Amino acid sequence: MLEVSHLTVGYGSKPVLKDVSFRLADGEILAVIGPNGAGKSTLVRALSGILPPQCGSIRYNGRDLCSLSVQERARMIAVVPQARNLPAGFTAWQVVSLGRTPYLNWFGQLSPADEELVREAMRRTDTAHLAERLVGELSGGELQRLLLARALVQATPVMLLDEPTTHLDLQYQIGLLNRVVEVVRQPISGNGNGKPHSPAALVVLHDLNLVARYADRVLLMVDGCVRSCGTVSDVLRPAMLSEAFGVPLEVMRSPNGKYPLVVPLMA
């Protein structure tokens, strides 16, 4: 269980996150939504250790993550950023292998067990056929799957995905989120101990209909505060969403009746 309690984070003296509290369980997908400037990406930076809390705590199973070294934290939390600024001369295999960095010896060499984890992560993210391809030759969707594989091979109990579907077409958006679900639902061994783990995933998303389809729970943020946190049906409510995003929205059932469908009301 990842537990964020009364977290306040800012740039300089200006708070961006204000008294943020929520929990994230193993094997769960929590979607973070909200208008631009709500603090979604700042939350990811705070959880990953880039921004120190001004007050509050971030704990996993009672362990204070803010007190950990960089290496220890890298064994607890993996980040899947948007596919930007990857070294064009690296192969796909090299990019994914970087996820094992927190576990390497002084010589920085992958063990046979590490290599097997890389192969398994690439298989599960449908990137094994890209292993020898250079990053500069790959599409945005392929790069995003590589970053997911890198996080998977990092074998952490928590994964943070910051707007992973941005700039991807619908096919790649659905493909990537299907992979996230598979990763969370199907345990993989890691850390060299052979014990399977099902990571928790916090995913920042803009498309509310993708949220309705893939999230177990939803965290709605407005002006750096948690406006609501709960199930999809608890949070994706017309009045609440319309107020948060500043446009009139309606929520109805999808044609198959399985998921909410969020649509703007025409003027």
Side-chain angles (χ1 to χ4, degrees):
M1 176 74 71
L2 177 72
E3 185 172 6
V4 178
S5 181
H6 303 292
L7 181 67
T8 297
V9 175
Y11 299 97
S13 59
K14 181 182 179 181
V16 178
L17 301 180
K18 308 160 191 172
D19 197 34
V20 170
S21 297
F22 64 91
R23 293 182 177 183
L24 175 60
D26 292 349
E28 180 180 50
I29 298 174
L30 176 68
V32 181
I33 64 172
N36 290 338
K40 304 182 298 294
S41 292
T42 299
L43 176 62
V44 172
R45 295 187 187 102
L47 297 179
S48 64
I50 295 176
L51 292 175
Q54 294 176 340
C55 64
S57 63
I58 306 168
R59 298 181 180 275
Y60 182 78
N61 285 350
R63 191 177 185 187
D64 184 2
L65 298 186
C66 299
S67 67
L68 302 182
S69 67
V70 172
Q71 184 181 42
E72 289 173 323
R73 197 180 189 94
R75 295 184 179 187
M76 300 292 288
I77 292 181
V79 180
V80 181
Q82 296 178 37
R84 297 175 179 170
N85 301 322
L86 287 175
F90 274 36
T91 65
W93 173 273
Q94 289 173 320
V95 169
V96 178
S97 298
L98 289 173
R100 295 307 296 168
T101 301
Y103 307 97
L104 298 184
N105 58 30
W106 287 103
F107 299 103
Q109 296 176 332
L110 295 176
S111 69
D114 291 325
E115 292 180 348
E116 180 57 33
L117 287 172
V118 174
R119 281 190 287 271
E120 174 67 4
M122 297 188 77
R123 182 192 67 78
R124 293 185 62 181
T125 54
D126 191 27
T127 55
H129 65 290
L130 303 174
E132 300 305 319
R133 294 274 302 277
L134 294 178
V135 165
E137 303 171 348
L138 302 180
S139 70
E142 290 168 336
L143 292 174
Q144 207 65 59
R145 295 204 309 275
L146 280 186
L147 291 175
L148 179 61
R150 186 181 69 180
L152 182 58
V153 83
Q154 202 169 327
T156 60
V158 179
M159 292 195 307
L160 310 175
L161 297 91
D162 189 9
E163 301 182 19
T165 60
T166 298
H167 306 308
L168 301 183
D169 63 29
L170 186 59
Q171 175 188 3
Y172 281 121
Q173 291 179 29
I174 293 172
L176 179 72
L177 291 174
N178 283 339
R179 295 285 183 265
V180 172
V181 171
E182 291 171 6
V183 165
V184 170
R185 301 289 187 255
Q186 299 176 16
I188 186 173
S189 296
N191 300 335
N193 57 18
K195 295 181 180 179
H197 76 284
S198 294
L202 181 147
V203 189
V204 176
L205 288 172
H206 282 295
D207 190 321
L208 300 181
N209 291 310
L210 290 178
V211 170
R213 172 63 180 83
Y214 289 100
D216 297 310
R217 291 192 305 125
V218 184
L219 179 74
L220 172 61
M221 298 188 65
V222 179
D223 293 329
C225 301
V226 174
R227 181 64 55 86
S228 181
C229 186
T231 65
V232 170
S233 58
D234 287 338
V235 179
L236 298 190
R237 295 178 177 270
M240 186 180 301
L241 294 178
S242 298
E243 180 184 359
F245 289 94
V247 293
L249 298 170
E250 184 58 84
V251 180
M252 57 188 69
R253 302 306 298 179
S254 61
N256 62 13
K258 296 177 66 175
Y259 310 106
L261 182 64
V262 182
V263 295
L265 292 177
M266 302 301 292

